[in-house]
Each structure stands twice: as structure tokens, then as C-alpha cells.
Amino acid sequence: MKNYSKITPVGTKDLLFEECLANRTASSILGNVFSARGFHEVLTPGIEFYDLFSEEISGIPMEYMFKMSDSKGRLMVVRPDSTLPIARMVTTRLMNEKHPIRLYYNQRVYRYNPGLTGRSNEVMQTGIELIGAKGKRADLETITTAVEALSKCVPDFRIELGNAAFFKALAKNLPVSDDEREKIRMYIESKNYSALNSALDSLEQTQAVNVIRKLPRLFGGIEVLDEAYKICDDKTALKTLEYLREIYNDLTKLDLGDRLIIDLGLVQRNDYYSDIVFSGYVVGSGEPVLIGGRYDKLLDNFDAPAPAIGFGINVDALAQVMMNRGNIPQKHVADVLVHSEKGYEIEAIKYTATLSEANILGENSVFETEEEALAYAKDKGIKKLAVVGKEIRTTDTGV
């Protein structure tokens, strides 16, 4: 039997030194943004009952989840999503909390990605959930929080806006099964023009079909909405475009320039999002680092209907971009290595503490001899060696 003790599972990796610092830095920046805007941190269990994530609720195929059983044989999953556990929490432990409820989280999610395509099965995710608030003010509060969060980490991000209700209004007119409708949605989301055209060619070429065929290309500035108006006559679909125009015009006041984009092909998880949807991209990452939207029907599954909107950020991807650009503060090398003569170990530890109080970075030596300590200091780039005995001797290491 093959021994896997020296490798990590597919889709996972060890994080070392600068990577850990980058993740902590990104998480800290984002957490400070959320906290300053009135959101309160929560943490949900790493394992949950499968019932919470059944496909009809989550839209996540069962085969994409990591599963196990508890001591009673009940099916469990390792957390594949953060929003649903928070919805569970809100409708149980926070059921008497006055709305709106502002929450943020920073935790790992685990989901199998077939073929990976550069994605990981394990992702540090942070984000917010604004529960119990509807309307334009709540939507703008959430989207502008996303803008502020990304801007504090990287300057060259872009925000793409769409409306899930636009596709839903068109797709309901297609004479296809729910499974076929979902495939069409996925073709649009991935901008797979060939597969989309093949799926639509077999249908009667109605106006709804013609509009859906063009969705992946309806991408750009306000002119995208003007073009959509010309080719669409579905009143429900047009109403969603009016609202999208209103949100877009409000956001232009943030001076985002060409970083604010309309994408009518943004049709994320049709069974999950209900209205406004948005994604965030940064140069250096091929996948969106931020995904969010309104999901007003999700809490119906917990017998506690309430409007809600939120977003999640892939901290790993964002931190990698920040690290590649040198935007992460470097871990400082110790200023002084403190070595003790035999019998003066505690005195050396106390001396190292006094250095820290004086804002001098000291590292305590764990070597048996002064020669070993000196060699280590030179190897690590530590400029001074302090030897603690009856007296304290400090010498330059020559680095």
C-alpha cells in the first residue's frame, strides 16, 4: 500500500513563512475594513451536517463536497461555503437579533474543483453578510464595502456588475428542462460560446433565445445596457436593467473609471442569487478574487424569510498577488541573537525580553556553544551576538 505521509492531498498546499505573513496581512486589512463599517466577526464549525448543503439548497453538487460520517453514522461535510452556515446561525442563535444583522467571517472552505484549473480545494475565505436589509441602500453599502476592501489591498482591481434576475426572466421562456437551463447558464458564465450556440441552435429562435445568445458579449460600460434595451422586450428583464443602471450610475460617483464594468453574462449560481450580482478581479489572478450578490430567498429554507446580500473574498489569491507585488511587509531579521553561558539560561531569556521592551528585536539562542550561536547568527543575517554570563558581552557578527 502506498504511503502518502510525505505529500499533501491534491488541491492543497503548505503555506510557508512569507505566504503565512501575506495571508495574515490580507486578512487583517480586510477585517479592519469590515469592522470599521459595523460588521461583527463570527466563526462557524469546520464540519456541518450534509443537510445544510444539500444540492437543492446550496446548488453545490454532492460530488464536490468532502464527506464523512459522525459517530452515529450521520452524513457530514467539511464546510464548502460560508454563507449557508451563517444563515443557519442567524435563524437559530440570532433569531431574536434586531435586523439588519451585519456579520463578517474569515475561515477556510473546502470544495473539490474538477481538474482544478489553477484553483485549490482549500481556500481561506473572508467576507460579509448583511441580513435583513433590502433595497438600493443595502446593495450600495455592500458593493462599496467590497470596493473599499479591494482598494486597501491592491489599486488595480475591477468590479463587474450584473443582475441574476435578468437571466432568470429570459431563461423562463426557454422550452427546456431545468437541467438544460442550468447547462446554458454555465456556458454563459464560462463564456463558452461554442457550447452555448450548440445548445441554443436546437431551439426556436425567439427573441429570448437571441438575447441569451448574446449575453457573454454584453460586457463593458453603460452602452451595454443601451444595447440590451434594443434587443430585449421582456418587461421583467427590462426592469432589472433599469435597476442595474441606477446602481451603476451611483457607483460612478466613486471615481472608479474603467474599473467599473457591466457584465450581463454574470449569471452566478442561478439557484442561489436573486438580483444584483458582482465580482471583483485583480491583475495577476486569473479567477475572480471576490464574488457576491443578493440572495433574498435563501433564508426561506430555514423558515425565517429575510432579504440578504453579501460577498466572499478568496484571501489566498489576493494575498498571493500582494506578495508577488511586494506589498507585504517583510519579516524582520532579529537585531541581536542572545546566547547564554552555562547556568545563565534564564538571565538570557530575561535579557531578550528587555530588548523587546526597548523595541529591539532579540532572538534567544538554543545552541550549546558560543561558536554554534555565532555561526547561526551569520547564516541568518543577525548583526549582533550578545553573550549573557556574569556580564553581558556584545559583538558584531560581521554580517
Side-chain angles (χ1 to χ4, degrees):
M1 181 176 178
K2 186 173 181 179
N3 189 316
Y4 295 96
S5 62
K6 290 188 176 182
I7 60 175
T8 61
V10 173
T12 68
K13 61 178 287 189
D14 298 315
L15 297 182
L16 302 177
F17 314 135
E18 292 84 1
E19 292 173 308
C20 290
L21 180 60
N23 270 44
R24 284 200 305 273
T25 300
S27 292
S28 177
I29 292 172
L30 296 169
N32 288 339
V33 170
F34 302 153
S35 181
R37 295 188 70 134
F39 292 86
H40 304 282
E41 187 174 14
V42 293
L43 183 67
T44 66
I47 56 174
E48 298 266 9
F49 287 108
Y50 168 74
D51 294 352
L52 178 61
F53 296 99
S54 60
E55 189 168 351
E56 57 268 23
I57 296 177
S58 69
I60 305 172
M62 185 177 185
E63 60 269 25
Y64 290 4
M65 302 183 211
F66 293 94
K67 296 171 284 294
M68 66 189 77
S69 62
D70 67 3
S71 60
K72 297 182 180 179
R74 294 174 295 192
L75 186 59
M76 315 286 290
V77 296
V78 186
R79 179 179 54 228
D81 173 86
S82 291
T83 298
L84 279 161
I86 289 176
R88 171 191 52 72
M89 176 193 296
V90 167
T91 56
T92 53
R93 297 193 61 189
L94 297 176
M95 64 183 299
N96 296 320
E97 191 80 7
K98 183 176 176 59
H99 285 185
I101 302 175
R102 293 171 176 254
L103 305 175
Y104 82 90
Y105 57 88
N106 186 60
Q107 57 193 26
R108 292 204 169 272
V109 295
Y110 300 83
R111 191 186 304 182
Y112 173 65
N113 286 289
L116 292 183
T117 61
R119 301 178 182 178
S120 298
N121 290 336
E122 177 186 26
V123 172
M124 178 62 80
Q125 186 184 78
T126 189
I128 66 168
E129 310 293 350
L130 178 55
I131 297 172
K134 62 181 179 179
K136 187 175 77 168
R137 288 181 175 83
D139 290 350
L140 288 174
E141 169 67 4
T142 304
I143 299 171
T144 57
T145 300
V147 169
E148 182 180 354
L150 290 182
S151 66
K152 288 293 178 66
C153 295
V154 290
D156 51 353
F157 64 91
R158 75 175 190 267
I159 294 290
E160 297 182 1
L161 296 173
N163 197 318
F166 180 67
F167 172 74
K168 287 182 179 181
L170 297 173
K172 71 179 182 180
N173 297 318
L174 300 181
V176 296
S177 67
D178 289 341
D179 287 342
E180 291 171 319
R181 192 174 287 108
E182 173 60 14
K183 286 181 180 179
I184 290 171
R185 184 199 68 80
M186 291 176 65
Y187 298 149
I188 297 171
E189 183 181 31
S190 62
K191 298 193 184 300
N192 188 336
Y193 303 109
S194 176
L196 176 63
N197 287 329
S198 295
L200 297 178
D201 284 346
S202 61
L203 305 178
E204 181 184 353
Q205 298 306 293
T206 62
Q207 187 176 54
V209 169
N210 291 332
V211 176
I212 288 175
R213 192 187 298 274
K214 294 180 180 179
L215 284 184
R217 295 181 173 86
L218 292 175
F219 177 91
I222 198 69
E223 71 279 358
V224 167
L225 296 181
D226 296 332
E227 183 178 349
Y229 273 105
K230 295 176 183 178
I231 61 176
C232 178
D233 65 357
D234 185 281
K235 292 182 179 180
T236 302
L238 290 174
K239 188 176 180 180
T240 69
L241 295 183
E242 286 288 351
Y243 184 65
L244 187 55
R245 181 188 292 273
E246 190 175 349
I247 291 290
Y248 178 87
N249 286 336
D250 284 334
L251 292 174
T252 57
K253 298 173 184 177
L254 294 177
D255 296 323
L256 293 172
D258 58 4
R259 291 181 295 166
L260 182 62
I261 296 169
I262 293 173
D263 184 2
L264 295 185
L266 199 61
V267 288
Q268 304 161 347
R269 288 175 64 183
N270 195 38
D271 51 353
Y272 191 96
Y273 291 109
S274 57
D275 294 286
I276 199 81
V277 290
F278 52 95
S279 293
Y281 291 82
V282 298
V283 175
S285 178
E287 298 291 331
V289 297
L290 182 150
I291 294 177
R294 178 162 287 282
Y295 50 94
D296 286 346
K297 299 299 182 182
L298 186 64
L299 274 77
D300 292 3
N301 295 292
F302 302 91
D303 300 319
I309 184 173
F311 63 79
I313 295 176
N314 183 330
V315 176
D316 294 331
L318 185 59
Q320 185 66 49
V321 171
M322 294 171 68
M323 186 173 65
N324 291 344
R325 297 181 181 185
N327 293 347
I328 301 298
Q330 295 298 308
K331 186 179 185 303
H332 296 296
V333 175
D335 301 307
V336 182
L337 179 66
V338 181
H339 181 74
S340 67
E341 294 180 356
K342 188 173 182 180
Y344 289 87
E345 292 82 3
I346 294 298
E347 285 78 4
I349 290 173
K350 289 181 178 179
Y351 180 67
T352 305
T354 64
L355 293 176
S356 297
E357 292 170 0
N359 293 320
I360 299 172
L361 187 57
E363 179 181 332
N364 193 54
S365 165
V366 295
F367 296 98
E368 293 295 326
T369 68
E370 185 176 333
E371 291 75 17
E372 290 176 301
L374 179 60
Y376 172 83
K378 290 180 177 180
D379 183 64
K380 294 297 182 180
I382 302 173
K383 295 182 179 181
K384 292 186 179 296
L385 174 68
V387 180
V388 178
K390 289 183 179 181
E391 297 179 347
I392 298 174
R393 293 182 288 110
T394 302
T395 59
D396 292 331
T397 63
V399 174

